Amino acid sequence: MKPRASKEKIVLAAERLFNDNGVHSTGIDRIIKESGVAKKTFYHHFPSKNDLIAEYFRRKDLRWFERLEKFAAKGKTPQEKTLFLFDALKEWFQEPDFQGCPFIRGLSEFNKEGADPKIRQCLDEHFSRTTHLVEALLKEGCPKEYKKIVPQILSLICGATVLAHATGDVRLAKINKKVALELLEKHTRK
Amino acid sequence: MKPRASKEKIVLAAERLFNDNGVHSTGIDRIIKESGVAKKTFYHHFPSKNDLIAEYFRRKDLRWFERLEKFAAKGKTPQEKTLFLFDALKEWFQEPDFQGCPFIRGLSEFNKEGADPKIRQCLDEHFSRTTHLVEALLKEGCPKEYKKIVPQILSLICGATVLAHATGDVRLAKINKKVALELLEKHTRK
DNA sequence: TTAAAAGTAGACAGAACTGTCTCCTTTTGC
DNA sequence: GCAAAAGGAGACAGTTCTGTCTACTTTTAA
C-alpha cells in the first residue's frame, strides 16, 4: 500500500462513520478497523481523535462552499445567485447518505464547556463564513436592505436543512426557494 | 428524604446535564452523583439509561406544547395564534440555559441504525405533533392554501431556533415573525 | 404493627474507549 | 544505495461507562 494513501483512507472511513453514527459514538478502533490501517499509523497522522474531528469539519466546510459556489455561479445577478443556493440544498438533500448538516449536528456535541477549542473554532468559522457568503451576495443585490434579509435567507437555508433531515422531505429546498424569491422581489422592487 | 422525590431528582439532574453537555456525553454515574440518589434507586426507576432518555424527551415535548399553546392562546384569529408562536420562541431563546432544540440535537445522536426505537419514536412524534399543531392553525386560517404554508412556517421556526443557538442572536424570533406575517398576509388576501 | 416497597452506600463485572509502546517491514527521497 | 520516514500487527495501561449485586435502613400502607 502507498504510504501517502493511509491518511486519506482514515479520513474517508471517518467521514462515513461520523456521518452514519455521529462523531462521539464512533470509536477510534472502529475507524482504524474500517480504514484498514494500523493504530500507530493513525496516531502518526492525528495526535488525537480531536485532530481527526477537526480535519473532518475542515473538509466538510471546504466541500460545502465548493458546492454553494458551484451553484451560485449559475446565476447572473446576485439575486439569482442567492436563489441558486437552494438548488445546492436540493442536490444535497437528495444524496442517499444525507444525515443533516454536520455543523448543526456538531453544535449538539461540541458547543459546550470543555469541548476542544479547535473543534469549536471549526464550527464557529463555518457559520460565520456561511453568513458572510450570503451577506456578500445580498450586499451587492440590495445594498440598502441586506442587513434585514441576510438572517431571513439564512433561516430559510437552516430551516430547510433541519426539516429535510427530520422528515426526509426533499421538497423543502424548493419550497424555501420560493419564499426566498418573494423576499428578494419585495426588497428589490422598492 | 421522601421516597417519591427520588425519581424527580433524577430527572431534574438529567435535564440539566443533558442540556449542558449532551445526552451521550452525560454518564449515569454523573447523574446519580448530582441527583444525590443511590445507584440502585436509579435502576429501580429506570431499567436502563435509555428509559431515562425517553422520559427526558417526553417531558421536553410536554413543556414545548404547553409553551406553544400558552402563547397561541393570546391570539384571536388562527393567523394571530400562528404569529404568537414566534413570541414563544423569543421567550425560549432568552432563557439563560438555552442550548438549542433538544429534539434537533437528539436527531444528531439518535437518528441512526441501532438507536433505541423508543427514543426514535419520541423524536418522530415530536416533529409530527409540531407539524400537526401548525397545520391545525393554518387549516382554519387559510383552508385553501395551508398545505403550502405549513412547511414554510415550520422552516421559519426551525431556522430561527438553530440560528439562535449557533449565533446566540435572540432577534431571530422577531425577524422570522415578520417573514411569517408577510407570508400569512399574502395568502390571506387572495 | 408489620410486611412490602423504596432508599442508601458502594463494590464489582464486563465492555468500550483513548492513547502508548514494541518489534518488525516497506516505501520514499536524496 | 541507504537512511529516514511511514506502515503493519497488536499487546497493554488507564480510564470510563452501563448495569448488577450485597447488606442494611427508612418509609409507606394495609
Side-chain angles (χ1 to χ4, degrees):
Chain A
M1 153 180 338
K2 309 287 164 52
R4 287 290 143 69
S6 296
K7 189 170 184 176
E8 194 61 23
K9 293 204 307 188
I10 292 166
V11 175
L12 287 178
E15 218 155 334
R16 187 171 48 76
L17 290 167
F18 287 169
N19 188 66
D20 291 352
N21 307 316
V23 174
H24 270 142
S25 301
T26 303
I28 289 288
D29 285 344
R30 181 88 188 275
I31 296 168
I32 285 166
K33 191 183 173 190
E34 303 227 353
S35 60
V37 304
K39 204 156 192 177
K40 194 185 177 185
T41 306
F42 176 89
Y43 281 101
H44 171 72
H45 290 295
F46 302 100
S48 78
K49 186 185 177 183
N50 282 343
D51 293 285
L52 172 63
I53 297 171
E55 174 71 17
Y56 163 74
F57 281 122
R58 278 193 290 270
R59 291 214 183 192
K60 284 290 178 190
D61 183 76
L62 212 62
R63 293 203 197 147
W64 165 251
F65 285 102
E66 279 172 6
R67 199 203 295 260
L68 288 190
E69 275 154 20
K70 183 183 85 179
F71 275 87
K74 296 183 182 182
K76 290 169 188 168
T77 65
Q79 284 89 342
E80 274 182 28
K81 287 176 192 288
T82 305
L83 291 172
F84 270 113
L85 297 182
F86 291 87
D87 295 84
L89 294 185
K90 189 186 170 193
E91 184 188 71
W92 184 31
F93 298 167
Q94 285 174 332
E95 288 174 0
D97 61 347
F98 173 67
Q99 288 289 339
C101 169
F103 297 91
I104 293 174
R105 295 177 69 183
L107 273 185
S108 309
E109 298 195 279
F110 300 102
N111 192 37
K112 62 182 177 189
E113 194 89 24
D116 193 311
K118 64 177 166 295
I119 294 177
R120 297 182 70 167
Q121 196 189 345
C122 289
L123 303 181
D124 287 347
E125 285 179 5
H126 174 80
F127 290 113
S128 70
R129 285 169 51 159
T130 302
T131 303
H132 289 144
L133 183 145
V134 174
E135 212 165 74
L137 283 176
L138 295 180
K139 204 168 188 171
E140 204 190 333
C142 23
K144 288 177 188 170
E145 308 199 54
Y146 78 97
K147 283 195 178 177
K148 278 186 193 172
I149 320 178
V150 169
Q152 297 174 353
I153 298 292
L154 288 172
S155 282
L156 292 172
I157 291 171
C158 258
T161 304
V162 171
L163 279 182
H165 180 209
T167 67
D169 188 348
V170 178
R171 293 172 304 167
L172 264 303
K174 201 177 176 184
I175 290 171
N176 280 11
K177 183 181 182 178
K178 196 162 177 232
V179 180
L181 172 64
E182 291 169 6
L183 282 175
L184 290 175
E185 276 180 347
K186 179 172 172 163
H187 289 275
T188 307
R189 267 202 307 264
K190 285 186 184 176
Chain B
M1 153 183 336
K2 308 287 163 53
R4 288 290 143 70
S6 297
K7 189 169 183 177
E8 194 62 24
K9 292 204 308 189
I10 292 167
V11 175
L12 288 177
E15 218 155 333
R16 186 172 49 76
L17 290 167
F18 286 169
N19 188 66
D20 290 352
N21 306 317
V23 174
H24 270 142
S25 301
T26 303
I28 288 289
D29 286 345
R30 181 87 189 276
I31 296 169
I32 286 165
K33 190 182 173 189
E34 302 227 353
S35 59
V37 304
K39 204 158 193 175
K40 196 186 176 185
T41 305
F42 176 88
Y43 280 101
H44 171 71
H45 290 296
F46 302 100
S48 78
K49 185 185 178 185
N50 282 343
D51 293 284
L52 171 63
I53 297 171
E55 174 71 17
Y56 163 74
F57 282 123
R58 279 193 290 270
R59 292 214 181 192
K60 284 290 180 190
D61 184 74
L62 213 62
R63 294 205 195 145
W64 166 250
F65 286 102
E66 279 172 5
R67 198 201 297 259
L68 288 190
E69 275 153 21
K70 184 183 86 181
F71 276 87
K74 295 183 181 181
K76 289 169 189 169
T77 66
Q79 285 88 343
E80 273 182 28
K81 287 175 193 287
T82 304
L83 291 172
F84 270 112
L85 298 181
F86 291 87
D87 294 82
L89 294 184
K90 188 187 171 194
E91 184 189 71
W92 184 30
F93 298 168
Q94 284 174 333
E95 288 173 2
D97 59 348
F98 173 68
Q99 287 290 339
C101 170
F103 298 91
I104 293 173
R105 295 177 69 185
L107 273 185
S108 309
E109 298 195 278
F110 300 103
N111 191 38
K112 63 181 177 188
E113 194 89 25
D116 193 312
K118 63 177 167 293
I119 295 177
R120 297 183 70 167
Q121 196 188 345
C122 289
L123 303 181
D124 287 347
E125 285 180 5
H126 174 80
F127 290 113
S128 69
R129 285 168 53 157
T130 302
T131 303
H132 289 144
L133 184 145
V134 174
E135 212 166 74
L137 283 175
L138 295 180
K139 204 169 188 171
E140 203 190 332
C142 22
K144 288 177 187 169
E145 308 200 54
Y146 78 97
K147 283 193 176 176
K148 277 187 194 170
I149 320 178
V150 168
Q152 296 173 354
I153 297 292
L154 287 171
S155 282
L156 292 171
I157 291 171
C158 258
T161 304
V162 171
L163 280 182
H165 181 209
T167 67
D169 188 348
V170 177
R171 293 172 303 166
L172 265 302
K174 199 176 177 183
I175 289 171
N176 281 11
K177 183 181 182 177
K178 197 165 177 227
V179 179
L181 172 65
E182 290 169 5
L183 281 176
L184 290 175
E185 276 180 348
K186 179 173 171 163
H187 289 276
T188 307
R189 266 203 305 266
K190 284 186 184 175

